[in-house]
Amino acid sequence: MLEDKPGIEIAFKEIYEIIKDAILVAHNANFDFNFLQSFAKKLGYPELTNTVVDTLSIARAMYPKLKNFRLGTVAKKTGIIYDEKIAHRADYDADILTDVYEHM
């Protein structure tokens, strides 16, 4: 899916411009934020200091009896339809995450 797309050196500039002053919401945010922080450092951008909201941590606090805390499991717990066949696509998961976060 990334064939013929710009490399991270080019794409990160746009990513950085979008997120630089934003509050970030992610599921398992440490993974995503550390990934972004690593590329910021590698590519010579300032350290990211964003406020980060982690829906995984929120789910653990709100639903301690869930068998796991994958985004799909949390979505189903909150009544949001989660299609495993198209899951793990950035746009799809971002839409699901938005719905989950708003529900929480």
Side-chain angles (χ1 to χ4, degrees):
M1 289 174 47
L2 296 176
E3 192 173 329
D4 300 325
K5 302 293 185 213
I8 190 65
E9 297 81 9
I10 295 168
F12 192 81
K13 181 178 183 184
E14 184 177 347
I15 294 166
Y16 183 82
E17 288 301 315
I18 292 168
I19 69 169
K20 68 180 177 185
D21 297 323
I23 296 172
L24 306 178
V25 179
H27 197 74
N28 194 10
N30 285 336
F31 174 81
D32 296 317
F33 192 73
N34 288 339
F35 183 76
L36 291 169
Q37 194 71 274
S38 173
F39 273 105
K41 182 177 181 180
K42 179 180 176 182
L43 298 171
Y45 288 84
E47 180 179 357
L48 299 172
T49 58
N50 304 69
T51 297
V52 179
V53 177
D54 188 358
T55 57
L56 176 65
S57 298
I58 296 170
R60 285 183 172 146
M62 289 181 72
Y63 314 115
K65 295 183 181 183
L66 281 181
K67 63 180 179 175
N68 65 63
F69 296 93
R70 291 184 205 113
L71 181 58
T73 304
V74 176
K76 289 173 187 172
K77 173 68 178 171
T78 58
I80 296 161
I81 296 170
Y82 186 80
D83 187 342
E84 297 284 347
K85 293 177 185 171
I86 58 173
H88 308 297
R89 307 279 182 174
D91 289 349
Y92 180 78
D93 281 2
D95 288 340
I96 295 295
L97 176 66
T98 299
D99 293 343
V100 166
Y101 180 65
E102 288 175 350
H103 181 84
M104 291 174 154

